[in-house]
């Protein structure tokens, strides 16, 4: 561990990358501060895999505040793989009100790429107190943000999320968002969703949306006993 931590600061980016990957595979908590430093590395591959390694620690549920804040900051990284790795690392953590709060703050960014990454990281991380923010964000101008928000709303399992999900299913201009809404509504599984889902399954212009809506009808019907 001591040697790997030292090599993570080597002048050669290939050496740093190899060391970071090894530290991530080991998953020892004592490497956390080194990995946090490498999130600032001038090589994007090192930043990316440092984010992955932080999410791969043996006790990610106990990730200190410093690491979580550093990962949230990487959601605004100029390189997409780094943003995705940071979002994934945050998403793998057990639900933490503090992390959710930082993510919601990052979600207010004017940068669409940061909003996308924050929205992805929010999936599974938020409680019902985030519902108003997510409902507003479900109308974001960026389709990828809307899709991630729809997924986060669906994961809440809160009946108050149903109206915005139905609105996205019926009116969103992006096929991907409507498909996500159909899938998430199917997971919520209440009987009154059968009719709007059946409508989408019959009349949506996109074949994928129709397939997901049809599958959702089956899922909801099996749970609720509807025909």
């Amino acid at each position: 561990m001591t040697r790997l931590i030292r090599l993570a600061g080597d002048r050669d980016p290939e050496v740093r990358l190899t060391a970071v990957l090894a530290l991530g595979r080991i998953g020892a908590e004592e490497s956390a501060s080194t990995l946090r430093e490498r999130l600032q590395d001038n090589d994007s591959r090192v930043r990316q895999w440092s984010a992955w390694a932080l999410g791969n620690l043996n006790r990610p549920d106990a990730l200190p505040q410093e690491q979580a804040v550093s990962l949230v900051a990487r959601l605004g990284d100029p390189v997409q793989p780094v943003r995705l790795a940071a979002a994934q690392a945050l998403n793998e953590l057990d639900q933490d009100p503090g992390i959710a709060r930082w993510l919601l703050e990052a979600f207010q960014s004017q940068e669409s790429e940061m909003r996308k990454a924050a929205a992805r990281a929010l999936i599974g991380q938020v409680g019902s107190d985030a519902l108003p923010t997510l409902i507003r964000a479900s109308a974001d101008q960026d389709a990828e943000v809307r899709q991630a928000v729809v997924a986060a709303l669906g994961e809440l399992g809160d009946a108050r999320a149903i109206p915005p999900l139905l609105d996205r299913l019926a009116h969103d201009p992006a096929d991907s968002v409507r498909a996500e809404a159909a899938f998430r509504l199917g997971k919520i599984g209440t009987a009154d969703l059968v009719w709007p889902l059946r409508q989408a399954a019959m009349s949506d212009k996109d074949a994928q949306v129709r397939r997901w809506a049809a599958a959702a009808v089956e899922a909801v019907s099996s749970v609720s006993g509807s025909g």
Side-chain angles (χ1 to χ4, degrees), residues 116 119-120 134-154 161-186 197 200 204-206 208-210 212-213 216:
K116 289 177 197 176
R120 292 188 189 101
L134 291 174
I135 290 175
R136 288 194 299 273
S138 67
D140 193 275
Q141 61 184 359
D142 190 294
E144 290 184 47
V145 174
R146 295 197 305 275
Q147 183 177 357
V149 168
V150 163
L153 283 168
I162 292 176
L165 291 176
L166 286 173
D167 181 69
R168 290 302 96 196
L169 175 63
H171 304 298
D172 201 279
D175 300 338
S176 58
V177 179
R178 298 196 309 280
E180 188 76 48
F183 170 68
R184 299 294 170 175
L185 286 165
L197 285 167
D204 195 276
K205 64 180 182 179
D206 182 73
Q208 184 180 32
V209 177
R210 295 196 300 271
W212 279 115

Side-chain angles (χ1 to χ4, degrees), residues 13-85:
E14 296 296 334
V15 174
R16 297 198 303 275
L17 178 60
T18 300
V20 162
L21 287 167
L23 290 170
R25 292 190 184 102
I26 294 170
E29 288 183 85
E30 55 263 40
S31 65
S33 61
T34 296
L35 294 171
R36 189 173 73 246
E37 291 173 7
R38 290 304 97 205
L39 287 175
Q40 306 293 330
D41 200 278
N42 57 15
D43 188 296
S44 64
R45 299 170 304 162
V46 177
R47 298 198 304 276
Q48 175 188 348
W49 290 103
S50 294
W52 165 79
L54 279 169
N56 206 39
L57 296 182
N58 288 333
R59 293 182 60 203
D61 56 314
L63 192 67
Q65 177 174 327
E66 295 84 1
Q67 273 82 279
V69 171
S70 298
L71 285 167
V72 170
R74 284 302 97 201
L75 296 177
D77 196 277
V79 178
Q80 185 183 41
V82 180
R83 296 193 298 270
L84 294 176

Side-chain angles (χ1 to χ4, degrees), residues 98-171:
I99 293 173
R101 183 178 65 252
W102 297 321
L103 287 171
L104 287 169
E105 290 175 4
F107 197 46
Q108 309 305 311
S109 170
Q110 296 299 310
E111 298 293 330
S112 64
E113 292 299 332
M114 189 164 189
R115 295 200 309 279
K116 289 177 197 176
R120 292 188 189 101
L122 276 168
I123 299 171
Q125 272 291 336
V126 292
S128 59
D129 56 336
L131 190 65
T133 299
L134 291 174
I135 290 175
R136 288 194 299 273
S138 67
D140 193 275
Q141 61 184 359
D142 190 294
E144 290 184 47
V145 174
R146 295 197 305 275
Q147 183 177 357
V149 168
V150 163
L153 283 168
E155 287 297 311
L156 283 177
D158 190 316
R160 293 173 295 170
I162 292 176
L165 291 176
L166 286 173
D167 181 69
R168 290 302 96 196
L169 175 63
H171 304 298

